Each structure stands twice: as structure tokens, then as C-alpha cells.
């Protein structure tokens, strides 16, 4: 277990937790950044001045994406710092991950949390608020996907369903970046689809969430 926390494995350890734990936080960010506008009624004020709704949405999503990059960077930086202290206390040789390994994990982690944040923005626009959007999203991530991915080995039908779920594909993408030495003990490691399929499926979800959010913003009566 100590090896999981050492610098050479910390990148794989951190990214293994991003699809579920990091995804839940990102979903909450996404729901708040859009849903709070409904809760506080600020969309009414903004749209009175006649800016295009999709321009407002694009600005908010751009800000969200940058916030998530800083979030993921902070998570990796904290993990590296903690692993350094643990290695120092345990008097273990420090072997840092390569720069390219760190960059690949950082970008993959950013990509994964952005997808789940977009799920949050879509739900917030659908429900016109934050509470129901966050509640529904968290139940989906922790309960529904958890049950399906946990039972995937028991049935081919369930496994085929799991293959197209965003959380499962995010976990499988993370799995490709986890060192083989810690895959058996890393939290959140899922090996259901390969990395290439995971990227395509997550990209499709990103496009779908974005289109639906845009449609809800354009078509729904937000001013009332």
C-alpha cells in the first residue's frame, strides 16, 4: 500500500480517483455555474440587454473549463507534494514520474472532468436550478453507474451497457495511465474498454451535453 503513495506512482494514483470523485466535484461546479443563474434570477437581468444566449453560455463554459484545469492541476500538485513528504518520512528513494507522463495524465484528467461538468450544466439547464441537478448527477455517478459497472462481469448485456456510459469510459481512460504495479489496488481503476474507444465515447458525450444545454438555453422561457 505504501507504494501507491510514493512519487513514482502518485500520478496513476491521483488520476484513478478523478473519474468518480473528481467527476462528482466537476459535475457540482458545472451545475452551480449555470444553475445559480436560475436560482438568483440573474439570467433575467442579463437577457434584458439582449446578448445572444449562446454567447453567454459560451462565456460561462469557457470560464468553467479554465476553473477545472486549475482544479485538476491543484489536485496533481497536492498529490505530488504529499507523496514527497511520505517518501521523505519513510526514508524511501524518490523517483519522480516523467514530465510526459505527468502532462498526459493532467490533460486526460482535465478532459474527463470537463465531460462530467458538462453533464452538470446540462442538468442545471434542464431543471432550471442547482439542487435537483446536483442530486440527480451524484445519484447517477455514485449509484447507477456504480451498480452497472460493478455488475458488468456478471452479464454480457450489462457489460455492453457499461461500455457506453461516460463514467465507465472515463475510468477506462484513467486505467490506461495507471502503472501496472498498482492497478490491482488503485481506487477507481476500470478496465472495460480501451483508451481509444473511451476518448471517442467521451467526445460524443461532450458534444451531446453541449448541444442539449444550448437547446435548453435557447428554447426555454428563462425570463419568466
Amino acid at each position: 500500500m505504501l507504494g501507491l503513495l510514493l512519487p513514482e506512482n502518485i500520478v496513476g494514483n491521483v488520476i484513478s480517483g478523478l473519474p468518480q470523485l473528481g467527476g462528482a466535484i466537476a459535475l457540482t461546479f458545472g451545475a452551480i455555474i449555470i444553475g445559480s443563474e436560475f436560482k438568483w434570477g440573474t439570467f433575467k437581468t442579463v437577457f434584458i440587454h439582449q446578448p445572444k444566449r449562446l454567447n453567454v453560455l459560451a462565456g460561462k463554459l469557457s470560464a468553467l473549463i479554465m476553473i477545472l484545469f486549475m482544479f485538476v492541476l491543484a489536485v496533481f500538485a497536492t498529490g505530488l507534494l504529499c507523496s514527497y513528504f511520505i517518501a521523505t518520512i519513510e526514508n524511501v528513494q524518490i523517483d519522480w514520474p516523467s514530465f510526459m507522463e505527468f502532462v498526459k495524465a493532467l490533460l486526460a484528467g482535465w478532459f474527463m472532468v470537463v465531460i462530467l461538468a458538462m453533464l452538470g450544466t446540462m442538468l442545471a439547464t434542464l431543471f432550471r436550478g442547482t439542487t435537483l441537478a446536483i442530486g440527480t448527477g451524484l445519484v447517477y455517478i455514485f449509484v447507477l453507474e456504480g451498480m452497472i459497472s460493478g455488475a458488468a462481469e456478471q452479464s454480457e448485456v450489462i457489460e455492453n451497457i457499461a461500455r457506453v456510459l461516460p463514467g465507465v469510459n472515463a475510468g477506462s481512460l484513467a486505467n490506461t495511465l495507471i502503472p501496472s504495479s498498482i492497478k490491482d489496488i488503485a481506487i477507481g481503476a476500470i478496465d472495460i474498454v480501451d483508451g481509444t474507444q473511451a476518448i471517442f465515447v467521451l467526445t460524443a458525450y461532450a458534444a451531446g451535453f453541449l448541444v442539449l444545454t444550448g437547446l435548453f438555453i435557447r428554447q426555454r422561457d428563462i425570463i419568466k
Side-chain angles (χ1 to χ4, degrees):
M1 185 62 71
L2 177 61
L4 188 66
L5 304 176
L6 295 179
E8 62 263 29
N9 292 322
I10 198 62
V11 168
N13 187 20
V14 169
I15 200 169
S16 68
L18 283 178
Q20 191 171 66
L21 298 178
I25 295 172
L27 183 143
T28 303
F29 282 165
I32 289 174
I33 202 169
I34 295 293
S36 60
E37 302 286 358
F38 291 101
K39 180 179 179 181
W40 297 331
T42 46
F43 268 145
K44 298 178 183 179
T45 304
V46 171
F47 292 137
I48 283 174
H49 300 287
Q50 300 300 316
K52 292 185 178 179
R53 294 186 178 193
L54 293 185
N55 289 347
V56 174
L57 177 63
K60 296 186 76 65
L61 291 181
S62 297
L64 174 63
I65 290 171
M66 294 311 301
I67 290 171
L68 291 173
F69 178 78
M70 298 305 296
F71 165 69
V72 173
L73 183 61
V75 169
F76 274 101
T78 302
L80 291 170
L81 184 61
C82 290
S83 70
Y84 170 76
F85 285 133
I86 291 172
T88 302
I89 292 171
E90 295 293 331
N91 196 26
V92 177
Q93 179 180 349
I94 298 176
D95 295 317
W96 293 107
S98 68
F99 177 74
M100 287 306 301
E101 181 183 354
F102 175 76
V103 170
K104 285 171 61 178
L106 177 66
L107 294 177
W110 185 27
F111 177 59
M112 290 185 288
V113 297
V114 164
I115 306 306
L116 292 167
M118 287 186 176
L119 171 59
T121 63
M122 187 270 290
L123 291 173
T125 311
L126 174 64
F127 295 127
R128 298 169 59 94
T130 58
T131 305
L132 190 55
I134 293 172
T136 302
L138 294 181
V139 168
Y140 171 75
I141 290 174
F142 288 113
V143 179
L144 184 59
E145 279 217 10
M147 291 174 59
I148 293 175
S149 61
E153 295 181 356
Q154 308 300 320
S155 167
E156 184 176 350
V157 174
I158 297 177
E159 182 178 353
N160 288 333
I161 294 173
R163 287 177 177 273
V164 298
L165 298 179
V168 170
N169 280 273
S172 296
L173 177 59
N175 186 67
T176 64
L177 299 170
I178 300 174
S180 57
S181 59
I182 64 169
K183 280 190 177 182
D184 291 338
I185 56 176
I187 299 173
I190 299 176
D191 188 15
I192 295 181
V193 301
D194 59 59
T196 301
Q197 176 179 327
I199 291 173
F200 280 116
V201 171
L202 291 174
T203 301
Y205 271 109
F209 293 149
L210 187 59
V211 168
L212 287 174
T213 303
L215 287 175
F216 292 150
I217 285 286
R218 288 193 62 185
Q219 302 300 326
R220 300 194 68 177
D221 186 2
I222 294 174
I223 306 300
K224 69 179 181 179

